[in-house]
Amino acid sequence: MNTAELLVRCLENEGVQYVFGLPGEENLHVLEAIKHSSIQFITTRHEQGAAFMADVYGRLTGKAGVCLSTLGPGATNLMTGVADANLDGAPLVAITGQVGTDRMHIESHQYLDLVAMFAPVTKWNKQIVRPSITPEVVRKAFKVAQSEKPGAVHIDLPENIAAMPVEGKPLHKDNIEKTFASFASLRSAAAIISQAVNPIILVGNGAIRDQASDAVTQFATQLNIPVANTFMGKGVIPYTHPLALWAVGLQQRDFITCGFDNTDLVIAIGYDLIEFSPKKWNPDGQIPIVHIAATPAEIDSSYIPSVEVVGDISDSLYEILKVADRQGKPNPYAINLRSNIRADYELYAKDDGFPIKPQKIIYDLRQVMGPEDIVISDVGAHKMWIARHYHCYSPNTCIISNGFAAMGIAIPGAVAAKLVHPNRKVVAATGDGGFMMNCQELETALRVGTAFVTLIFNDGGYGLIEWKQENQFGKGRSSFVHFGNPDFVKLAESMGLKGYRVEDATELVPILKEALAQDVPAVIDCPVDYRENIRFTQKVGELNCVL
């Protein structure tokens, strides 16, 4: 057995099903070992696509997704997806090939110090310098990647080490035991919550990672406290729940902002500050906060909790419920706020304008998708509208990157989503800018049999940047954001996919239904009216937070 074979045995021991990546000269021994293993290697068309697939796989399963590249340019191509997983809290293990240790001390073809390069975008990384340490390196990599808060790790394997003979076996996997909050913190939290007149719950992705959806819903229901979720906390509480105030996280005022303006306590449950800066909702640091999470609070001058309840989130919430004494109905302001949010959402149900307003595209998408179906959002103007208007019944049914927020994630992410949940409908929602960054992975999708729909919000430009430019400098003051596009239908057809073009607002729903019924990936070119961006800015700028 050589080191590469031992490495792959260790991956099998960790329960790895897929490795996403590209073949290269320096990872030949690893590829040969995978060929003779139980692991399926998914050959992608770009290393960034491989990393995004591992990223979304990790986020959906809680188990580290694995991506593989060769050295040099292959490794640098991985970095965006690796960084995305790290800042989004998705467990990922990246493995890179490397030159032999006999030529690292000199200027050498394609050689970069990958350990130094990946250090800033990972929780931990290490080069395997001796064959015998392989089981320890792999076991630690997975343990670190999957421990709260999850993230990315990196293993660098020089080609001469990969080929060396070795004796060894994978290490036994230890179970990560739950930790529980102290009685003192639970009592303090219960007392503060019981005294609050108009509290609001802010729930984030940490509650999804900790599988605390049922506990959050029971906690909010029993104590009559309204709930707002971050972009990455969608579905923790069903959006149909009468206390659900839907998503918070836009970088400008919105209806939900009024909820924070009028609260006397924020109960932050599994809230990651990277998702939505507390300076946006607590700029002066005056709102009292109860922090309930698996890890201590990050340091931020606008996020200084009155009490930190650190431990298993579900257990903490159930324990607080035993002693919290909060009676009565939720504040009428919150009920009125939900009515306004719901009315704004329904306003676009019958809109027949063309190009189609983003609110209408997302409304129609929600009508077609089932409660457990999955939308993977790319990054751009459409992401803001998906965050605001695509609502979820359950966790991990709308995947939004809002830590690193990298464009190009949707299509490779949809490949991973379909591998994890082959019986669910999956839609990659992307702008035309993001589509062109990783559309080559549609060939990967076809080859590996992952039939999903790519819905393109087509505006011929970088719509989110144009929106920000016009907010900053005035309407009509955008620059350097427009580009041309190929014929997306013909592009899809040239790859053996189904292609559709929406030419009237009434066509979107039937096209979506037909595309989702295909046994090959499908692409829908949907013109979008992003004049709604500035209209929205003007509307919320005039928002008056009164009952």
Side-chain angles (χ1 to χ4, degrees):
M1 181 171 61
N2 61 32
T3 307
E5 290 168 329
L6 179 57
L7 173 76
V8 171
R9 288 190 188 182
C10 292
L11 297 181
E12 288 180 306
N13 183 61
E14 297 292 340
V16 173
Q17 293 177 283
Y18 305 102
V19 172
F20 307 95
L22 264 72
E25 184 178 347
E26 284 72 23
N27 58 27
L28 293 179
H29 290 287
V30 175
L31 294 166
E32 182 66 16
I34 292 174
K35 185 170 71 173
H36 298 287
S37 75
S38 61
I39 297 169
Q40 182 179 352
F41 188 79
I42 305 291
T43 304
T44 63
R45 304 305 299 268
H46 193 285
E47 290 88 355
Q48 186 182 112
F52 279 141
M53 290 175 198
D55 176 358
V56 173
Y57 179 93
R59 188 159 160 194
L60 287 174
T61 65
K63 298 185 295 185
V66 180
C67 53
L68 173 72
S69 80
T70 187
L71 79 177
T76 58
N77 283 345
L78 276 183
M79 283 198 70
T80 296
V82 172
D84 190 87
N86 204 46
L87 290 191
D88 279 4
L92 176 148
V93 173
I95 302 171
T96 56
Q98 183 55 284
V99 303
T101 55
D102 56 340
R103 60 185 181 101
M104 290 182 182
H105 63 291
I106 56 174
E107 186 176 37
S108 188
H109 179 65
Q110 292 191 317
Y111 172 65
L112 293 171
D113 185 344
L114 298 182
V115 174
M117 190 179 77
F118 275 86
V121 298
T122 56
K123 291 179 70 177
W124 178 80
N125 75 334
K126 190 63 62 178
Q127 185 177 86
I128 297 178
V129 294
R130 299 177 63 136
S132 61
I133 70 171
T134 301
E136 293 173 340
V137 170
V138 174
R139 179 79 280 274
K140 181 171 181 177
F142 279 81
K143 186 172 184 176
V144 171
Q146 294 169 173
S147 297
E148 187 66 25
K149 180 180 176 182
V153 300
H154 164 236
I155 299 172
D156 193 39
L157 180 59
E159 61 178 334
N160 64 330
I161 303 294
M164 288 181 181
V166 64
E167 292 184 3
K169 62 181 181 179
L171 298 185
H172 175 71
K173 289 196 297 181
D174 53 335
N175 293 320
I176 300 175
E177 297 292 336
K178 290 183 178 181
T179 58
F180 299 99
S182 69
F183 288 118
S185 67
L186 291 167
R187 286 194 297 269
S188 296
I192 294 170
I193 292 168
S194 298
Q195 294 165 8
V197 176
N198 185 25
I200 189 171
I201 293 170
L202 173 59
V203 65
N205 188 244
I208 293 177
R209 295 193 302 267
D210 219 28
Q211 300 180 343
S213 178
D214 289 345
V216 172
T217 303
Q218 182 178 333
F219 182 85
T221 303
Q222 192 167 322
L223 296 181
N224 271 319
I225 303 175
V227 182
N229 58 258
T230 64
F231 292 5
M232 294 173 66
K234 280 179 171 291
V236 170
I237 182 171
Y239 86 96
T240 52
H241 194 288
L243 290 168
L245 298 181
W246 301 356
V248 64
L250 293 180
Q251 301 301 305
Q252 53 192 305
R253 291 181 63 78
D254 198 355
F255 290 114
I256 187 60
T257 309
C258 298
F260 287 88
D261 287 350
N262 289 275
T263 189
D264 61 343
L265 176 68
V266 169
I267 305 167
I269 304 176
Y271 162 64
D272 294 331
L273 274 63
I274 197 170
E275 299 179 56
F276 181 45
S277 171
K279 289 180 169 55
K280 294 292 183 181
W281 55 267
N282 192 22
D284 300 321
Q286 298 301 309
I287 302 174
I289 297 166
V290 171
H291 172 87
I292 303 173
T295 55
E298 177 61 89
I299 302 300
D300 190 293
S301 60
S302 294
Y303 192 82
I304 303 176
S306 302
V307 60
E308 294 188 38
V309 181
V310 180
D312 180 77
I313 293 175
S314 294
D315 181 79
S316 296
L317 295 177
Y318 291 136
E319 289 299 319
I320 291 171
L321 277 178
K322 291 178 182 178
V323 292
D325 181 22
R326 186 173 186 276
Q327 305 295 325
K329 298 179 180 179
N331 188 283
Y333 190 91
I335 301 302
N336 187 65
L337 183 60
R338 176 176 167 80
S339 297
N340 290 339
I341 294 170
R342 182 88 198 191
D344 182 71
Y345 174 65
E346 296 290 348
L347 188 63
Y348 301 91
K350 300 186 186 308
D351 192 283
D352 61 359
F354 192 84
I356 310 178
K357 294 181 177 63
Q359 302 98 312
K360 172 63 172 172
I361 296 174
I362 296 161
Y363 186 93
D364 284 354
L365 179 61
R366 176 69 277 178
Q367 307 316 303
V368 171
M369 300 292 276
E372 297 299 317
D373 295 336
I374 300 172
V375 170
I376 311 287
S377 176
D378 214 278
V379 174
H382 69 283
K383 172 186 143 180
M384 301 295 110
W385 291 110
I386 287 173
R388 190 174 189 267
H389 281 267
Y390 191 86
H391 309 300
C392 299
Y393 296 92
S394 56
N396 279 339
T397 54
C398 182
I399 300 297
I400 296 177
S401 170
N402 210 41
F404 197 57
M407 289 180 72
I409 191 174
I411 292 173
V415 173
K418 197 67 177 176
L419 288 171
V420 174
H421 297 293
N423 296 321
R424 297 191 194 181
K425 298 172 186 173
V426 174
V427 170
T430 181
D432 43 359
F435 176 84
M436 292 298 289
M437 290 187 178
N438 271 318
C439 62
Q440 71 278 354
E441 300 306 340
L442 286 170
E443 189 280 325
T444 306
L446 178 67
R447 177 168 23 91
V448 300
T450 50
F452 59 84
V453 171
T454 301
L455 176 61
I456 304 172
F457 290 64
N458 187 350
D459 72 323
Y462 295 115
L464 180 59
I465 304 306
E466 182 174 22
W467 188 356
K468 290 180 180 292
Q469 287 176 334
E470 294 195 341
N471 280 345
Q472 184 80 21
F473 304 115
K475 189 172 182 180
R477 296 285 301 279
S478 63
S479 55
F480 315 120
V481 292
H482 298 291
F483 48 71
N485 281 317
D487 184 321
F488 291 128
V489 173
K490 290 182 179 178
L491 177 62
E493 292 173 346
S494 73
M495 300 172 75
L497 319 179
K498 293 286 186 178
Y500 302 88
R501 180 171 292 108
V502 179
E503 296 180 330
D504 185 273
T506 60
E507 295 179 355
L508 181 56
V509 168
I511 286 176
L512 275 167
K513 289 180 177 179
E514 181 179 337
L516 284 164
Q518 301 301 316
D519 58 3
V520 296
V523 174
I524 302 173
D525 179 2
C526 185
V528 60
D529 183 2
Y530 274 151
R531 290 178 297 177
E532 287 298 298
N533 297 348
I534 294 301
R535 290 173 186 156
F536 172 75
T537 298
Q538 293 169 344
K539 180 179 178 179
V540 297
E542 299 165 358
L543 191 61
N544 185 16
C545 294
V546 295
L547 181 61

